[in-house]
Amino acid sequence: RKSLEKMVVAQLAQITRMQHDVIVTMANVIESRDGTTGEHVKRTSIYTMLLAEKMLEKGLYKEELTVQFLENMRNAAPLHDIGKITIPDAVLTKPGKLSVEEYETIKTHAKAGADMLSKNMNQMVSPDFLKVACDMAQYHHEKWNGQGYPKGLVGEQIPLEARIMAIADVYDALVSKRCYKEAMSFSKAYEIIIESMGSHFDPSLEPVFKLSCNKLEAYYANTIA
C-alpha cells in the first residue's frame, strides 16, 4: 500500500512537471513573436513571487495568499499574455507608435487569452488554477482607477493575482528593450511605478514594491548577464 501511494505521488509530480513545461513552452513561443524572449516569462513569474513574499511579511491579504494560491499564481504567470497569439504580426511587432485602431486590436489580447485558457485547459488543470490563470490573463491591464481594460474594473474589483501581475509586467516592460522602445533605467522605472500607485496600481502594494525593488533589479540583471 505504501509503495502504491509513493507511486501515485511520483506520477502526480511528473504530470505537474509536464504541465508546467507545456505552459512555459507555449508562453515562450508567444513571447518570441513580439521580439521578447523566454526570460520575460521567467522574470514575471519570479517577480510575482517576490512581491507576494513581501506581502506576506507585511501581513497584506494573508487570507487570500494561501500556499495553493501562491503556487497557482507562480505557475499561471507565464500565461498572462497568451492572447497575443491572436494579434497580427503587423500590429504586434510594429516598431513605431500604434494607431488608435491598432491599439484597440492589441487590447483584445486580454479577453482572448482568458477565453483560450477557459476553453482549452479546463480538462487539464484544477478549477482553482484555471481561475487564477484566466484572471491574470484577462485583468492584468486593468487599473486601480478604472481606466484600464478590458472591463474598466475599479480597485478591489480587480482580482488580487491580476493586481500583482500588473506591477510585475509593467516593471519588466519598462526596464526591457522592446521592438518599439529602448530599455529604461531601473531608477526611472521605479519612479514611474511609484507615481502610478493609486492610479494604475493597488496603493497598498507600494511598500511591497519598495521592499522588493532591489531583488527585482538583481534578478533582472542576472537574466541578461
Side-chain angles (χ1 to χ4, degrees), residues 20-220:
H20 178 69
D21 289 345
V22 169
I23 287 170
V24 171
T25 299
M26 289 168 57
N28 286 344
V29 169
I30 293 161
E31 292 295 339
S32 68
R33 290 184 63 227
D34 66 352
T36 57
T37 69
E39 293 302 329
H40 171 70
V41 170
K42 296 176 185 176
R43 286 194 299 265
T44 50
S45 183
I46 293 296
Y47 293 169
T48 58
M49 291 299 100
L50 291 175
L51 293 168
E53 175 186 303
K54 294 302 179 183
M55 291 169 69
L56 288 172
E57 289 181 11
K58 299 288 288 184
L60 296 174
Y61 302 107
K62 57 184 179 181
E63 292 184 1
E64 294 181 65
L65 296 178
T66 63
V67 172
Q68 188 59 58
F69 180 87
L70 293 173
E71 182 70 7
N72 287 338
M73 189 168 63
R74 180 179 69 83
N75 290 327
L79 296 171
H80 70 280
D81 270 340
I82 193 171
K84 283 183 177 179
I85 200 170
T86 66
I87 307 300
D89 286 342
V91 175
L92 193 62
T93 62
K94 183 177 178 179
K97 184 178 180 180
L98 297 176
S99 68
V100 173
E101 293 77 13
E102 288 168 337
Y103 183 55
E104 289 301 317
T105 297
I106 284 286
K107 287 164 64 175
T108 65
H109 82 275
K111 184 176 184 304
D115 289 344
M116 289 174 62
L117 293 172
S118 180
K119 291 176 183 177
N120 297 299
M121 294 191 71
N122 61 335
Q123 299 298 318
M124 295 172 54
V125 297
S126 71
D128 288 344
F129 174 88
L130 186 60
K131 182 182 184 304
V132 170
C134 288
D135 283 348
M136 293 179 96
Q138 184 160 15
Y139 302 124
H140 70 282
H141 285 293
E142 297 286 357
K143 296 182 179 181
W144 188 258
N145 63 7
Q147 298 301 305
Y149 65 86
K151 292 191 174 182
L153 301 181
V154 178
E156 292 191 357
Q157 290 178 348
I158 306 167
L160 179 59
E161 54 268 40
R163 300 192 325 255
I164 297 171
M165 172 53 73
I167 296 177
D169 191 46
V170 171
Y171 179 81
D172 194 67
L174 291 174
V175 300
S176 301
K177 182 177 180 179
R178 297 287 175 85
C179 63
Y180 53 86
K181 63 176 279 295
E182 292 298 317
M184 186 179 290
S185 69
F186 292 131
S187 59
K188 183 61 178 176
Y190 174 87
E191 289 177 10
I192 290 175
I193 297 291
I194 295 301
E195 289 173 358
S196 301
M197 291 294 176
S199 56
H200 190 152
F201 308 115
D202 180 348
S204 73
L205 300 184
E206 180 173 343
V208 169
F209 176 72
K210 288 180 176 179
L211 290 170
S212 304
C213 65
N214 288 338
K215 287 187 176 181
L216 298 179
E217 289 181 20
Y219 187 78
Y220 182 88

